[in-house]
Amino acid sequence: MPVRVLIVDDDELSREVLTLLAERAGYEVEAVESGDAALVHVQRARPLPEVVLTDMQMPGTAGDELARRLRGLCGAGTLLLAMSGSEVEDGVGREFDGFLLKPFTMETLAGAISGGSARGEGGLSGTSGVVLDEGVYAKLMGSMRRSQLDELYALCLRDAETRVGRMRRAASDGEDAAYRKEAHAIKGGCGMVGALELQRLATSMEERGLCDDDVATLDEFMVACERLRRILVARESN
């Protein structure tokens, strides 16, 4: 029987990519958009999920509090795995059975489920100047129809551009936390689809927060979105 996995992520793009890849890898997958929705789900689910894979940074119930509540509902028979686009601080995530750094492969997930080391690659090492991770693109292309792949990347770009609009408003209002939050979400979603240049820029924006040249950085990000869009259009014509 396939392993039953519940994916919990408030980012629509990450949730959709993880669901597609996990189903392709043979898992039986359900997905919800928040920790609170996950708690409702496991209260009703029979049988219970064997694995809960949840993002660490979400509105509402999240992090170790979510893990404690899930453990109370699911018992020791459910493996609780945390994931995030950033490394967590010391002591954070101790209620989970493992941690995966986005983006990660299904092989990394399988290793975590079987009791091995759960880390992930992070996706940025040695990729300076790379716009699109060809390996990730090829895996996604092998996991879905071309129309689905095109829509997935269109969703990625729409989501990123919408969040950049919010970042401009946050910059105008001097809201550093909101600015960093949107950058973090972009970083995670773009990483999952191999949009490495956008992931790099979002990582830099999250780490730096508001600064004197944030408008120029956001303009640079929009140029990078167009660069990725041109590459994807070229792929469609091949």
Side-chain angles (χ1 to χ4, degrees), residues 73-84:
L73 292 169
C74 299
T78 296
L79 184 71
L80 302 181
L81 297 176
M83 59 180 173
S84 178

Side-chain angles (χ1 to χ4, degrees), residues 55-75:
D55 192 68
M56 287 288 285
Q57 300 184 42
M58 299 183 293
T61 308
D64 286 315
E65 174 61 22
L66 175 59
R68 283 190 289 270
R69 294 181 64 179
L70 286 170
R71 185 67 72 202
L73 292 169
C74 299

Side-chain angles (χ1 to χ4, degrees), residues 7 17 22 29 64 101 129 148-150 152 154 211 216 219 223 238:
I7 293 172
V17 172
V29 182
D64 286 315
L101 180 63
Q148 291 177 306
L149 182 67
D150 293 343
L152 184 63
C211 55
D219 289 343
V223 171
N238 291 338

Side-chain angles (χ1 to χ4, degrees), residues 175-195:
E175 296 180 353
D176 183 74
Y179 182 94
R180 292 176 189 262
K181 178 183 177 181
E182 296 297 342
H184 178 84
I186 293 173
K187 177 180 70 175
C190 289
M192 292 306 298
V193 298

Side-chain angles (χ1 to χ4, degrees), residues 16-29:
E16 183 168 341
V17 172
L18 283 170
T19 297
L20 287 168
L21 292 179
E23 288 178 341
R24 177 74 174 178
Y27 297 105
E28 182 181 315
V29 182

Side-chain angles (χ1 to χ4, degrees), residues 20 140-152:
L20 287 168
L140 290 172
M141 187 164 58
S143 301
M144 63 192 79
R145 296 189 301 275
R146 185 56 183 260
S147 60
Q148 291 177 306
L149 182 67
D150 293 343
E151 177 55 31
L152 184 63

